[in-house]
Amino acid sequence: MYDSEAIARIAAEIGEKVDCAVLGQIPWEEVPRAIVGAFPGSMATLQSLSANHDRLNFLYVENVDPAYLKSYMEHYAFVNPWAEHWESVPSGTVALSEREYPARLLEGTEFYHDWLKPQKNLEAAAGIKVSGEGDSLIFLPVHYDMAQSADYDDPLSHVLLRLRGNLARAMHLSTQMTTGMERAAASAAIVERQDCAAIVVDASLRLRAANDMAQQLLSAGDPLRVHQGQVSLAPKGATLRFAEIIHALTRSLPIDATPLVVRNENQTHLLSFAAIPVSASTLTGLLTQPQPLVLVLVRKPEATPSIIPPADVLSEVFMLTPAEIRLCNELAVGASLAEAAAGLGISVETARVRCKTIFQKTQTHRQIELVTLLRSLR
């Protein structure tokens, strides 16, 4: 049934569908459908997991019960032990479960007992790792009954081997397209930013673009540094907060809109952040998606327009002292009480006492109320 001619024909038919799918000429679902058509009774999927195995980028599937498909997409994809195996092998690897990682070794896992075993006919499998680059793991597994293993194992592995070239070309085209979209979005984000230093980073803190002013800061290593392509901040403690903000923005999570205050012995910088939308390609068949990017603007406080009233106004209206006004300025640009104290060269306790006095004079109770009041008077 599966002689060399049949294997070549099946591989050519499926390979043509791969070539058409990446160009958006047919949906990717046609690829697993063709595999199941050539190997009746099997179940085939083409799927992409995020590097942390916490998100399905896509899932194209054929011959899965809808209830099991739903539960897989919602939970079992993220606890699939076979995903760890695919992560550990090079792209292009073709493997048979019974030879490499038999299903019986998964006994004791919820994936096996609650998802795989109840379907009764999927414990044997063959598959190919398409890619493990960047933020995604892409693999194409084909499952079938143990009784079919003797008939399907070798022919299916030969078909998958013949598909390596088609899948590699699909990945290459996808990567080229998405990289181009990311590059265009990063360049557009900084092209008109001439009033301050501006950089673009991705979720891994890799530098993707920088304007001339930012290049100068990177060359000086203050406050921005770049090592092996990754951006960090001169004060090591600030890098953690920097990474937290980038992580949140690249996952569409809310962040505190106040600037990140970065200080060293001689200077203070304010960092503002904004997510960059990356336009989707008109080619709907790409196996990769543009990475989320973040624009980072770096300014010095003295280059930032004042956002609170002049000192003489604050002194006259609220009877604030010069020291209290300086603390107000620090808080207004987003500094925490500890950061403000460090910037002013006073202890945190002194800053706390001074802040309480400011609250009393302005009839406010929290820093956010104070800053809101001061900004409203500007």
Side-chain angles (χ1 to χ4, degrees), residues 107-118:
E107 291 185 13
T109 67
E110 63 169 321
F111 176 83
Y112 179 81
H113 282 287
D114 298 339
W115 193 83
L116 185 66
K117 190 174 181 180

Side-chain angles (χ1 to χ4, degrees), residues 121-145:
N121 60 344
L122 301 178
E123 292 193 35
I128 181 170
K129 179 176 179 178
V130 180
S131 175
E133 302 298 324
D135 187 42
S136 62
L137 167 66
I138 304 175
F139 55 107
L140 195 168
V142 184
H143 290 261
Y144 38 91
D145 192 276

Side-chain angles (χ1 to χ4, degrees), residues 35 43 80 103 109 130 137 144 200 246 274 292 372:
I35 294 174
M43 179 272 284
N80 180 355
T109 67
V130 180
L137 167 66
Y144 38 91
V200 174
I246 300 299
T372 301

Side-chain angles (χ1 to χ4, degrees), residues 276-351:
I276 301 173
V278 182
S279 300
S281 170
T282 54
L283 291 177
T284 58
L286 299 182
L287 291 175
T288 57
Q289 294 297 314
Q291 289 193 51
L293 303 174
V294 176
L295 173 67
V296 184
L297 304 179
V298 185
R299 295 184 174 91
K300 291 183 179 180
E302 57 268 28
T304 304
S306 177
I307 56 177
I308 67 173
D312 57 345
V313 174
L314 293 177
S315 177
E316 180 179 347
V317 175
F318 298 114
M319 305 299 291
L320 296 181
T321 67
E324 291 165 350
I325 292 172
R326 287 194 293 272
L327 179 56
C328 285
N329 273 302
E330 292 284 331
L331 298 177
V333 296
S336 66
L337 199 62
E339 291 171 333
L344 296 172
I346 59 176
S347 69
V348 175
E349 184 58 35
T350 298

Side-chain angles (χ1 to χ4, degrees), residues 113-334:
H113 282 287
D114 298 339
W115 193 83
L116 185 66
K117 190 174 181 180
Q119 297 180 75
K120 304 182 184 303
N121 60 344
L122 301 178
E123 292 193 35
I128 181 170
K129 179 176 179 178
V130 180
S131 175
E133 302 298 324
D135 187 42
S136 62
L137 167 66
I138 304 175
F139 55 107
L140 195 168
V142 184
H143 290 261
Y144 38 91
D145 192 276
M146 276 298 194
Q148 296 173 301
S149 179
D151 294 327
Y152 281 2
D153 279 359
D154 286 337
L156 188 48
S157 64
H158 286 305
V159 168
L160 294 175
L161 284 169
R162 287 172 175 263
L163 289 178
R164 283 194 299 192
N166 303 88
L167 292 169
R169 287 193 297 274
M171 278 302 305
H172 180 68
L173 175 60
S174 296
T175 302
Q176 281 190 319
M177 292 295 297
T178 54
T179 300
M181 287 185 281
E182 293 164 6
R183 187 180 300 116
S187 299
I190 66 169
V191 69
E192 295 182 357
R193 301 287 179 175
Q194 302 302 323
D195 59 329
C196 65
I199 65 170
V200 174
V201 298
D202 61 22
S204 300
L205 306 187
R206 288 183 299 167
L207 180 66
R208 307 301 294 271
N211 66 4
D212 292 340
M213 294 178 68
Q215 291 288 3
Q216 294 175 12
L217 295 180
L218 290 167
S219 297
D222 183 20
L224 301 172
R225 295 177 176 176
V226 61
H227 177 65
Q228 295 183 343
Q230 283 192 309
V231 176
S232 62
L233 301 179
K236 292 183 179 179
T239 300
L240 178 60
R241 178 57 184 154
F242 179 79
E244 289 174 347
I245 294 171
I246 300 299
H247 179 275
L249 284 172
T250 55
R251 286 161 177 77
S252 301
L253 301 174
I255 64 165
D256 183 353
T258 55
L260 173 63
V261 181
V262 180
R263 293 184 176 85
N264 61 19
E265 295 180 357
N266 303 313
Q267 297 188 82
T268 297
H269 292 88
L270 307 178
L271 275 61
S272 301
F273 303 82
I276 301 173
V278 182
S279 300
S281 170
T282 54
L283 291 177
T284 58
L286 299 182
L287 291 175
T288 57
Q289 294 297 314
Q291 289 193 51
L293 303 174
V294 176
L295 173 67
V296 184
L297 304 179
V298 185
R299 295 184 174 91
K300 291 183 179 180
E302 57 268 28
T304 304
S306 177
I307 56 177
I308 67 173
D312 57 345
V313 174
L314 293 177
S315 177
E316 180 179 347
V317 175
F318 298 114
M319 305 299 291
L320 296 181
T321 67
E324 291 165 350
I325 292 172
R326 287 194 293 272
L327 179 56
C328 285
N329 273 302
E330 292 284 331
L331 298 177
V333 296

Side-chain angles (χ1 to χ4, degrees), residues 47-51 53 55-57 77-78 83 135-139:
Q47 54 188 289
S48 172
L49 274 173
S50 67
H53 295 189
R55 183 183 72 255
L56 263 175
N57 298 318
F78 314 119
D135 187 42
S136 62
L137 167 66
I138 304 175
F139 55 107

